[in-house]
Amino acid sequence: MKCPNCNSKDIGKIGSHQYYCWGCFIELTVNGEKMSVYQVEEDGTLSSLDDLFFEDEMPQVHAN
């Protein structure tokens, strides 16, 4: 898997469907083939970054 924001492959798994990019420090959530992208705020809350990606440009996750 590559980060949709910075294209880094330095992705760590932090939950059953949650990943963290060590390249740009965002959290990714995978639900089926849909990926959501979040910025981790200073207080630990998540802010959605999905609106920065157009629907047809959202990355699709494919099982290998």
Side-chain angles (χ1 to χ4, degrees), residues 31-51:
N31 186 6
E33 290 196 11
K34 183 176 186 262
M35 180 184 292
S36 295
V37 182
Y38 301 93
Q39 176 177 326
V40 182
E41 301 294 343
E42 287 182 19
D43 64 357
T45 60
L46 301 177
S47 297
S48 177
L49 298 177
D50 288 350
D51 59 342

Side-chain angles (χ1 to χ4, degrees), residues 2-63:
K2 281 183 163 180
C3 175
N5 186 50
C6 70
N7 289 322
S8 172
K9 290 186 178 181
D10 194 11
I11 305 286
K13 189 169 186 172
I14 59 173
S16 61
H17 301 288
Q18 296 173 305
Y19 301 87
Y20 186 79
C21 177
W22 289 99
C24 63
F25 313 111
I26 62 171
E27 189 171 311
L28 312 166
T29 302
V30 178
N31 186 6
E33 290 196 11
K34 183 176 186 262
M35 180 184 292
S36 295
V37 182
Y38 301 93
Q39 176 177 326
V40 182
E41 301 294 343
E42 287 182 19
D43 64 357
T45 60
L46 301 177
S47 297
S48 177
L49 298 177
D50 288 350
D51 59 342
L52 298 178
F53 297 93
F54 294 108
E55 186 64 35
D56 59 338
E57 291 182 0
M58 282 301 291
Q60 297 295 311
V61 177
H62 302 284

